[in-house]
Amino acid sequence: MNRRQLLTAGAGLAMASAAQAQTRFRDLPEAASYDSPNTQVPPRPSNGPDYNPVVTLNGWSLPWRMNGNVKEFHLVAEPVERIMANGMMARLWGYNGQSTGPTIEAVEGERVRIYVTNRLPEHTSVHWHGLILPSGMDGVGGLSHPAIPPGKTFVYEFDLTKSGTFMYHPHADEMVQMAMGMMGLFIVHPRDPAFMPVDRDFAFLLAAYDIDPGTYIPRVAEMTDFNMWTWNSRIFPDIDPLVVNKGDRVRVRCGNLTMTNHPIHMHGYDFEVTCTDGGWVPESARWPEVSIDIPVGAMRAYEFDAVHEGDWAIHCHKSHHTMNAMGHDLPTFIGADKRKLTGMIRRETQGYMPMGTAGMADMGEMYMELPDNTIPMMTGWGPYGPLEMGGMFSVVKVREGIAPGDYSDPGWYENPPGTEAWEWTGELPEEARNTSPETIISPRDHVRRG
Ligand SMILES: [Cu+2]
């Protein structure tokens, strides 16, 4: 111990007896950690004001303790290992064992005290995006308060003046720390449980990474060329489905912390945006949508009545965002006759298969040698074959008879007889046969012809 540490220790001892009655509350709240990437359905709150918890896709909600009337949380910023999908692990930075971090849930009118411990190798801060709070609690390192040095714990404390859909993320070395996965949802439930009630309330954050196949750590200086498009740092086919009981009122909350916009499209329904990170949208200001653009640094919540049974795709409508790691420099070979070249290559490399001359759909069912720690660009199997998807894609599964609180996967929907697209087996018109020499060549033809 140096002289200063001794003095500090002495002062601490002198204060200890006077503050003994309070020591229980002077301790930090426990910093819970969650080691699974599976969706953890939070229980109904056992203390504090009641609310209907959100279900964070492939995530969880942070436990708290009540200290008098203050709800106390403990976030730990730290390196984490996130299973993005089976077969792909990423070494990220996150909170309490996961990226994205745990969802913070509280109720309008409550006062929260959030301890933030920094276990990163550099300073950090936490900005509470969308919340109305004192300037000094806003979490912009160097502006609101000094950044939190490695090894230190800072305390944020403020009143929740309104309900809504918010998020948290660092505002210190922001580009690096968000490229490494530091973000989480902050949901403030209405004080009045009769205000905008829903039966199921799903939430996820859009995050993008640039992780080369076979590597584990994102490139943090990437600005445009991301290759992993994630919901809560998960990619299809391992983003959990949104399981819904027929007739439920459903809310889906989505925040965008990538560097580009994402038009989120849900099949089977029209719906209305009912909330942004600015607050609730008055009924008179809503209009029907089937795709909603989530701008950069923004959040949207939409609602619908789940009256249509089925398996309904939900995905980003930028088609390269429903793919996993891919080469971005692929030339287009559609219509190209690579027969001659294929023959030459196959003399050197047995089993060589040219790709992409009839599109890229064959990649969904093709077995290819992949480097360790990556998954195919287009993958996932449905009841009728490969889905040829990746990245920001999941399925809303609406079924009859799903019990409240049950979010387990009910399997694939069975289309009732007469309600599924069928093959025409009668005579075909002449023009339906493809005889164009420009598009007729397929990889399989090459294999057959050798
Ligand atoms: Cu997108």
Side-chain angles (χ1 to χ4, degrees):
M1 268 196 210
N2 62 29
R3 190 163 170 271
R4 178 188 282 182
Q5 282 171 321
L6 273 169
L7 284 173
T8 315
L13 277 174
M15 282 168 61
S17 56
Q20 200 121 48
Q22 292 169 33
T23 44
R24 196 157 54 95
F25 295 129
R26 293 171 67 89
D27 297 331
L28 287 168
E30 192 195 343
S33 188
Y34 186 49
D35 60 7
S36 160
N38 297 327
T39 303
Q40 188 191 66
V41 181
R44 204 94 193 178
S46 55
N47 56 36
D50 188 38
Y51 60 83
N52 181 26
V54 296
V55 172
T56 307
L57 278 190
N58 295 100
W60 60 301
S61 290
L62 190 61
W64 72 83
R65 72 174 183 193
M66 294 305 294
N67 183 351
N69 286 326
V70 181
K71 191 171 265 183
E72 291 186 327
F73 298 89
H74 191 173
L75 275 180
V76 178
E78 60 186 355
V80 302
E81 291 182 350
R82 175 67 169 179
I83 310 291
M84 284 198 165
N86 290 330
M88 161 129 202
M89 183 268 277
R91 295 194 202 284
L92 304 177
W93 290 355
Y95 300 93
N96 302 57
Q98 293 292 329
S99 164
T100 56
T103 299
I104 295 174
E105 293 188 82
V107 177
E108 177 187 6
E110 276 194 300
R111 187 169 182 80
V112 291
R113 186 178 296 134
I114 305 168
Y115 295 81
V116 179
T117 295
N118 182 5
R119 285 193 196 139
L120 297 172
E122 67 169 0
H123 68 207
T124 189
S125 71
V126 184
H127 167 58
W128 314 97
H129 174 114
L131 289 160
I132 306 297
L133 35 61
S135 170
M137 294 291 168
D138 197 40
V140 180
L143 176 65
S144 322
H145 58 76
I148 309 168
K152 301 287 186 187
T153 297
F154 275 36
V155 186
Y156 294 88
E157 183 166 338
F158 45 89
D159 294 316
L160 301 175
T161 60
K162 62 177 189 178
S163 62
T165 304
F166 312 105
M167 54 190 172
Y168 62 88
H169 62 79
H171 230 296
D173 197 11
E174 196 175 330
M175 182 164 148
V176 165
Q177 295 192 7
M178 297 219 288
M180 288 293 285
M182 298 190 71
M183 58 192 74
L185 289 144
F186 197 133
I187 305 298
V188 183
H189 296 279
R191 169 65 59 167
D192 174 9
F195 179 78
M196 304 280 293
V198 292
D199 300 295
R200 296 191 182 228
D201 200 338
F202 297 96
F204 56 92
L205 288 177
L206 309 169
Y209 301 95
D210 181 16
I211 305 177
D212 276 344
T215 70
Y216 296 82
I217 300 174
R219 282 177 211 261
V220 293
E222 186 55 67
M223 284 170 247
T224 53
D225 202 13
F226 298 91
N227 61 8
M228 308 301 296
W229 301 98
T230 76
W231 291 354
N232 288 340
S233 302
R234 284 284 272 194
I235 50 176
F236 185 78
D238 289 324
I239 298 174
D240 280 342
L242 289 73
V243 176
V244 168
N245 183 43
K246 188 176 178 182
D248 276 351
R249 178 79 179 167
V250 181
R251 181 181 297 135
V252 179
R253 314 192 197 221
C254 182
N256 181 3
L257 286 173
T258 75
M259 293 197 221
T260 187
N261 64 313
H262 299 276
I264 298 296
H265 177 49
M266 191 179 84
H267 297 203
Y269 287 87
D270 46 49
F271 47 80
E272 288 177 345
V273 172
T274 54
C275 190
T276 77
D277 33 358
W280 299 97
V281 180
E283 220 170 321
S284 59
R286 301 176 197 161
W287 62 83
E289 295 273 22
V290 294
S291 296
I292 47 167
D293 195 42
I294 321 283
V296 179
M299 310 186 75
R300 297 288 181 267
Y302 67 85
E303 290 177 27
F304 61 98
D305 292 315
V307 292
H308 309 300
E309 256 184 283
D311 282 346
W312 305 108
I314 176 173
H315 60 94
C316 177
H317 218 297
K318 287 186 176 173
S319 46
H320 65 296
H321 292 182
T322 50
M323 294 214 169
N324 296 322
M326 63 186 291
H328 288 203
D329 304 324
L330 287 180
T332 298
F333 286 124
I334 292 174
D337 185 350
K338 296 202 289 185
R339 230 167 304 181
K340 204 168 167 189
L341 180 66
T342 301
M344 288 162 72
I345 296 176
R346 281 169 69 98
R347 264 180 294 207
E348 301 297 324
T349 310
Q350 285 271 313
Y352 167 76
M353 194 183 284
M355 293 191 330
T357 50
M360 295 208 291
D362 46 316
M363 294 183 77
E365 55 189 353
M366 187 185 284
Y367 176 78
M368 290 166 64
E369 282 290 330
L370 292 169
D372 281 349
N373 201 52
T374 193
I375 71 166
M377 172 171 106
M378 299 152 73
T379 183
W381 285 75
Y384 301 106
L387 267 66
E388 303 163 355
M389 288 284 157
M392 293 176 165
F393 183 97
S394 187
V395 180
V396 178
K397 298 191 169 193
V398 182
R399 299 287 190 280
E400 231 156 34
I402 294 197
D406 183 4
Y407 291 84
S408 56
D409 189 340
W412 300 113
Y413 183 65
E414 277 181 46
N415 301 311
T419 67
E420 185 179 307
W422 69 93
E423 182 183 356
W424 172 256
T425 52
E427 206 180 323
L428 286 175
E430 191 59 34
E431 58 270 25
R433 294 195 198 107
N434 182 1
T435 54
S436 162
E438 298 303 311
T439 57
I440 199 170
I441 296 153
S442 80
R444 275 186 215 86
D445 290 340
H446 288 276
V447 173
R448 247 179 268 126
R449 291 168 202 160

